[in-house]
Amino acid sequence: MPVVEIKNLNKSFGSTHVLRGIDFTVEQGEVVCVIGPSGSGKSTLLRCVNLLEVPQEGQVFVRGEEITDPDCHLDAARSQIGMVFQQFNLFPHLNVLANCTVAQTTVLKRKADEAEKIARSNLERVGLHDKITAYPAQLSGGQQQRVAIARALSMDPTLMLFDEPTSALDPELVGEVLTVMRKLALDGMTMLVVTHEMAFAREVADRVVFMDAGVIVEQGTPDEVIGNPQQERTKTFLRRVLDPTHVETTG
């Protein structure tokens, strides 16, 4: 059974058709990186997986349960899914440890001592065990994003969604977040990652999906899609991303 299965997904914002008949699966333990230009529908696809965006048409299944079914217990379904956003979305008035325990105690109804033990373990996993009493404003952007990852992991998800998790970071802080994500991949976490980090996608992904204009143009292994793309639109995108100073001439 796939962890995620999407059938004929269509999503529009007003007259703009953002997703056009997407069919897509993510298998257990698979790391899938979704790449493509801005406005191609990547983030909307990710947000439809946990129904932060509601599609007009199509079905989304998570571990066999259709979360687009109106009778689905959405909170229970979402509890299996961890999501890390571009912005860190930490509670500014709570310290690091509290940020990682509040959802455990309120949503999963864990006892405080159990929640704290799990949070401490995950903060150590992301290299922040020494920052548990710090507040978000006292942390760098990379540290805040790692807290956000630890918070998501503390909910024991079977699937992690990452929506361009390094795009809001200074370039020198990107590496520390990608290192944590590499470790998660090695641990067998099922991950669906929207990213502009081509080196990360090439190194970590089991599969790369290239999207443009609301459709999946091409997908395959990193060597296939990034190393030897077959579609002209994929080739054009990768030329611009991998060699941004190149200027095409005509005549």
Side-chain angles (χ1 to χ4, degrees):
M1 180 190 302
V3 175
V4 178
E5 186 174 12
I6 295 171
K7 297 181 179 180
N8 191 36
L9 194 69
N10 285 270
K11 174 65 181 177
S12 296
F13 295 107
S15 60
T16 304
H17 202 168
V18 180
L19 296 175
R20 303 170 179 267
I22 298 289
D23 293 298
F24 185 68
T25 60
V26 180
E27 302 295 335
Q28 178 71 42
E30 191 177 24
V31 178
V32 179
C33 285
V34 184
I35 64 173
S38 297
S40 60
K42 309 182 302 295
S43 292
T44 301
L45 172 64
L46 206 68
R47 292 171 68 87
C48 284
V49 170
N50 62 0
L51 239 60
L52 289 177
E53 297 291 352
V54 180
Q56 278 83 14
E57 185 180 356
Q59 297 171 291
V60 179
F61 297 85
V62 176
R63 297 190 67 85
E65 181 177 4
E66 185 187 350
I67 66 169
T68 41
D69 185 334
D71 294 328
C72 171
H73 191 311
L74 191 54
D75 287 342
R78 280 180 176 153
S79 70
Q80 304 179 65
I81 306 170
M83 187 158 185
V84 178
F85 300 87
Q86 296 177 39
Q87 302 298 331
F88 322 122
N89 293 348
L90 300 177
F91 294 113
H93 63 291
L94 298 179
N95 67 24
V96 165
L97 186 62
N99 262 284
C100 293
T101 57
V102 62
Q104 294 187 67
T105 55
T106 57
V107 178
L108 300 182
K109 306 302 181 185
R110 284 177 177 155
K111 294 181 178 179
D113 57 346
E114 181 188 6
E116 181 174 326
K117 181 179 178 181
I118 290 168
R120 286 177 178 274
S121 173
N122 283 305
L123 287 165
E124 184 164 358
R125 196 173 175 184
V126 302
L128 290 174
H129 57 282
D130 59 336
K131 298 290 186 182
I132 61 172
T133 60
Y135 286 81
Q138 299 171 310
L139 303 176
S140 70
Q143 289 171 330
Q144 290 186 62
Q145 193 63 294
R146 284 188 282 154
V147 172
I149 293 172
R151 177 180 60 183
L153 292 173
S154 294
M155 301 296 285
D156 294 332
T158 57
L159 168 69
M160 285 286 286
L161 307 177
F162 293 87
D163 187 6
E164 298 186 25
T166 60
S167 65
L169 300 179
D170 292 336
E172 8 180 66
L173 302 178
V174 168
E176 63 188 60
V177 173
L178 295 181
T179 296
V180 169
M181 293 172 65
R182 286 186 186 95
K183 290 178 181 176
L184 292 180
L186 288 172
D187 289 344
M189 175 63 73
T190 306
M191 297 163 60
L192 180 55
V193 184
V194 170
T195 185
H196 290 296
E197 301 288 343
M198 295 300 120
F200 174 82
R202 194 162 203 164
E203 176 190 346
V204 176
D206 298 299
R207 181 159 44 106
V208 174
V209 174
F210 173 68
M211 288 185 66
D212 187 40
V215 300
I216 293 174
V217 176
E218 188 167 354
Q219 62 178 306
T221 66
D223 284 345
E224 290 168 342
V225 176
I226 300 175
N228 187 31
Q230 300 302 301
Q231 301 298 318
E232 191 57 42
R233 182 65 188 94
T234 316
K235 294 176 184 178
T236 302
F237 170 77
L238 288 170
R239 274 198 301 270
R240 290 174 177 166
V241 171
L242 299 175
D243 188 10
T245 62
H246 176 73
V247 177
E248 295 191 13
T249 58
T250 58

